Amino acid sequence: MRIKARFAIPEPDDGLLARARKRLFYRQVPRFPRAVQIQTRTGCNADCVWCPYGETFPTQAKGTMEWGLFERIVDECARHKVRRISPYLMNEPFLDRDLPKKIAFIHEHCPSAKVVVTTNGSMLRPDVVKEILDLGPALRALYISFQGIDKESYEATMRGRMQFEQTLEHVHYLVDEMKRRQASYPEVWITMVDTNIIDAKKAVKYWQSRGVRSKYTTLENRGGNIKDAESLAHTRMEYYSTCTRLMKQAYIMFDGDLVICCTDYARQMVIGNCAASSVEEVWNGPRAVGFRRAYLGKRFDELALCKVCKVDRVREVEVLPWKEPKPAVGAPV
């Protein structure tokens, strides 16, 4: 066993020797999450086949996070020097027209944190692109979820109101505008979930040929919320029992509810509410600790999401590495 490769939490009946062994050989759950995702508002204009949004949205609470709560969460993250803050969760972030303002606020008040946003790219109109690029290093990375590079497979995957030609135009505009400005930020990645609907390798090669970083990630059934995930997989899906999300990442809904995982669209496992108490109190509360103990003890039957969570494991290691494109013949170096 590699030292500190896995997490461990002291049990109430652990003796001094057991506690010392866990401190020495295992990773400790931090007193405050290393990364925090904040749902600044609800809503998405896509309905991706591998996402529970379309099915769960009609029954879930909807709204925008109050500024006071947002400010308090960011200030608390600053005190604990959080490594990453992502102002999006289970939504299309740029439906929040105040998102650039919120990104700037995070950067100003919590400079230790890398601000990262994932978008479906549909809202990347020229005016939004200008706001994004004007942020400079305040927005460190922008991940664009663009599923495949063929119209039919793209629209069959992303569904909703997504239009292949329009979104492709938006992404190309962002890339071209960054080159024109010689902008270093944000670092742009094109990402996709590898399903049997799209040709992920073809799409990655396309974007890399344009000088854009690109990769695909493993299909998962989102805590069992995607009932037909097996039909989208390349191989038989396997139970996911080595997750670290609940050990180091916090997911805060617009009303302050902190859920156990970014896949908890229906709030099946709410740890506590950050509007009623601090993030630190919720993170270290009895419900959170109980969930972690159950997971590390492999008592998955006690965990509504985890006991049915599966991934298409065979594809995990097949991500194509990023290669800096070679300059064209005759182009300035």
Side-chain angles (χ1 to χ4, degrees), residues 92-94 96-97 99-101 103-104 117-119 121 123-144 170 173-174 177-178 181 183-188:
E92 165 46 46
F94 287 103
D96 183 351
R97 290 299 295 127
L99 187 67
K101 172 185 173 183
I103 292 172
V117 170
T118 295
T119 173
M123 306 297 292
L124 297 179
R125 302 180 303 268
D127 59 317
V128 176
V129 168
K130 181 181 184 304
E131 290 182 309
I132 290 171
L133 298 186
D134 286 349
L135 286 168
L139 179 59
R140 290 286 298 278
L142 183 68
Y143 287 82
I144 302 172
H170 287 167
Y173 177 82
L174 169 65
E177 187 64 8
M178 288 191 69
R181 288 195 184 198
S184 299
Y185 297 100
E187 181 179 287
V188 174

Side-chain angles (χ1 to χ4, degrees), residues 147-158 197-199:
Q147 305 302 308
I149 199 59
D150 300 298
K151 175 181 172 64
E152 184 177 352
S153 58
Y154 170 90
E155 293 185 353
T157 301
M158 301 199 73
I197 299 177
I198 68 171
D199 186 337

